[in-house]
Amino acid sequence: MFETLKTLQPDPILGLMAAFRQDSAPLKVDLGVGVYKDEAGHTPIMAVVREADALHRNEETSKTYVGPPGDPMFNQQIQALILGSDCAAIAENRVRTVQAPGGCGALRVAAELINRARPGAAIWVSDPTWANHVPLLGDAGLEIKVYPYYDAAQQGLKFEAMCAALNQIGAGDLVLLHGCCHNPCGVDLAPAQWDAVAGIAQARGFTPFVDLAYLGLGLGLAEDAYGVRKLAATVPELIVASSCSKNFGLYRERVGALSVISPSVAEADIVYGQVQNVARGIYSMPPNYGAALVGRILAEPTLRSAWNVELTEMRDRINALRSQLAAKFSARLHNARFDFIPAQRGMFSFLGLSKEQVQRLKVEYSIYMVDSSRINVAGINQKNIDYFCDAVCAVL
Ligand code: LMR
């Protein structure tokens, strides 16, 4: 049966995890896959997650199915977390949220839903975008098109070119936007730029689709949700795929959600039924455990404030590392080449290195990053920061 299949190259991001684990060098640095690491280089279980886990285990009385939409408490809490409890679309009963197996699950379910409504619809993604967007959306049948985004020469945003491209897109097409902490480049839209994009979406009639995988890891929960909330208040129809992998540290538990805002209650109900039917045909029902913890943490005020404190610590650590990296590079190079790092948001930055330089860092220094020179800033700590900066300067 499978003799027709060819051997594939390892996944560009996940392949790095395996290569790093196999490397026996004493000082190896993992800046590859986007998982938060603490100062000890460890991806911890959040204390609030342990607390919620103890309560959950004590109170859970059954392991029966949760049903295709998932945990109702989780769905309600996530909706308010993302869109804000004062969101008009929620008050008007036009939002439907279903739990999904991770942000990836939400992206795929959304893509299947879109393909049911408009087979082969075009979805515009930023140049660049997260590598896995292409199979998640494209394999469901959507046509992937690209709009300008990252300005490699300025390490910033090609905002004019982006707007010019969006102004050519019309109703029936979708535009995928990174809600915050752009993956891979770390360059986000400022509030005024979100206002402009929301205005273009409204005028042109395309459907915005927000991928919100890093909420709270950029500037703050409300600040990072500015764009998605602006869109929700501006356009009649919006799709949001969100993840709790990073901001709750629940990566392997696969906790995500798909939220759809529809123009009317009647359409929202149709979408809700269709989404559940899509899920039924892929994985039937989402896993319960991680979402049950998140729902509880968000609903119980003491747990929620403890979560906020831990999330703030993670965000502050990343942002402090950004400033430190820029200062250390500038002290070594006597120029402003890496001054852009503190202006970027979330876990990632593009260093602007060539593939050959990235390869040398891996082979000669056991420093792992994605080929595009995307680094996971959280992988830096006080033990490896000088080693890392020296190595980068050596291969420049
Ligand atoms: C990343 O971009 O590194 C993360 O989102 C993990 C993944 O699945 O690629």
Side-chain angles (χ1 to χ4, degrees):
M1 167 63 87
F2 301 119
E3 68 278 4
T4 54
L5 299 181
K6 302 212 164 44
T7 306
L8 292 175
Q9 292 300 316
D11 179 273
I13 296 176
L14 301 185
L16 285 172
M17 277 174 94
F20 179 79
R21 282 179 188 153
Q22 275 163 20
D23 189 330
S24 57
L27 188 48
K28 52 180 186 172
V29 183
D30 179 13
L31 308 179
V33 68
V35 295
Y36 179 79
K37 290 172 193 222
D38 61 16
E39 189 46 40
H42 182 58
T43 301
I45 299 176
M46 291 171 88
V48 71
V49 165
R50 287 196 188 279
E51 215 179 316
D53 170 77
L55 295 167
H56 174 72
R57 281 179 201 277
N58 218 13
E59 288 170 20
E60 189 177 46
T61 54
S62 173
K63 291 286 186 191
T64 186
Y65 293 121
V66 282
D71 184 303
M73 168 82 90
F74 168 83
N75 291 336
Q76 191 195 343
Q77 291 295 331
I78 284 292
Q79 204 174 82
L81 178 75
I82 292 170
L83 299 173
S85 40
D86 57 350
C87 171
I90 296 180
E92 290 157 14
N93 192 24
R94 293 189 290 110
V95 191
R96 297 292 179 273
T97 299
V98 298
Q99 190 194 319
C104 288
L107 284 158
R108 185 49 174 259
V109 168
E112 299 283 349
L113 176 75
I114 294 161
N115 207 47
R116 280 188 180 188
R118 282 185 184 261
I123 182 157
W124 294 76
V125 302
S126 59
D127 176 23
T129 196
W130 178 44
N132 209 28
H133 276 148
V134 176
L136 280 170
L137 304 169
D139 289 0
L142 305 185
E143 184 190 356
I144 310 279
K145 294 187 174 178
V146 175
Y147 62 84
Y149 189 83
Y150 180 66
D151 183 343
Q154 306 293 325
Q155 289 95 20
L157 190 63
K158 285 184 182 164
F159 190 62
E160 267 181 36
M162 173 183 177
C163 290
L166 298 188
N167 266 311
Q168 303 299 313
I169 301 171
D173 281 11
L174 297 107
V175 174
L176 186 75
L177 297 151
H178 295 230
C180 63
C181 309
H182 189 280
N183 182 4
C185 71
V187 176
D188 281 352
L189 297 175
Q193 292 170 326
W194 276 113
D195 295 351
V197 167
I200 297 173
Q202 185 182 33
R204 299 292 310 167
F206 59 75
T207 302
F209 182 158
V210 176
D211 185 357
L212 196 58
Y214 294 85
L215 181 70
L217 286 163
L219 289 171
L221 284 170
E223 292 88 339
D224 293 353
Y226 182 88
V228 73
R229 292 180 187 180
K230 180 73 194 186
L231 287 165
T234 311
V235 295
E237 185 176 64
L238 174 68
I239 301 166
V240 187
S242 57
S243 167
C244 300
S245 293
K246 329 277 171 171
N247 49 13
F248 285 83
L250 281 166
Y251 309 88
R252 65 173 63 169
E253 304 301 348
R254 313 310 297 136
V255 192
L258 172 62
S259 301
V260 181
I261 299 184
S262 299
S264 68
V265 177
E267 208 176 306
D269 286 335
I270 294 170
V271 164
Y272 193 49
Q274 288 279 346
V275 168
Q276 291 176 59
N277 185 263
V278 168
R280 179 79 170 136
I282 309 177
Y283 52 81
S284 189
M285 279 163 264
N288 174 252
Y289 171 73
L293 301 193
V294 170
R296 179 184 282 268
I297 290 169
L298 292 175
E300 293 183 17
T302 49
L303 294 179
R304 190 174 178 128
S305 60
W307 171 63
N308 238 314
V309 169
E310 283 187 79
L311 180 62
T312 303
E313 276 168 20
M314 296 199 285
R315 176 173 68 241
D316 288 352
R317 198 181 95 77
I318 293 174
N319 288 333
L321 284 166
R322 288 184 171 280
S323 304
Q324 227 188 333
L325 280 172
K328 285 188 183 279
F329 278 125
S330 136
R332 282 164 172 78
L333 297 167
H334 308 291
N335 63 33
R337 176 169 178 157
F338 292 103
D339 279 9
F340 62 87
I341 296 177
Q344 300 183 341
R345 301 283 165 246
M347 276 190 197
F348 307 117
S349 271
F350 267 155
L351 288 186
L353 306 180
S354 67
K355 267 194 181 155
E356 291 68 33
Q357 289 167 329
V358 169
Q359 187 63 13
R360 277 191 64 196
L361 286 169
K362 183 160 91 181
V363 173
E364 295 174 30
Y365 298 90
S366 293
I367 295 174
Y368 291 74
M369 65 183 73
V370 181
D371 272 356
S372 58
S373 79
R374 183 196 85 169
I375 58 162
N376 170 13
V377 177
I380 304 281
N381 56 50
Q382 297 314 306
K383 280 202 208 84
N384 66 24
I385 189 165
D386 287 305
Y387 176 72
F388 169 69
C389 292
D390 288 342
V392 170
C393 293
V395 302
L396 278 182

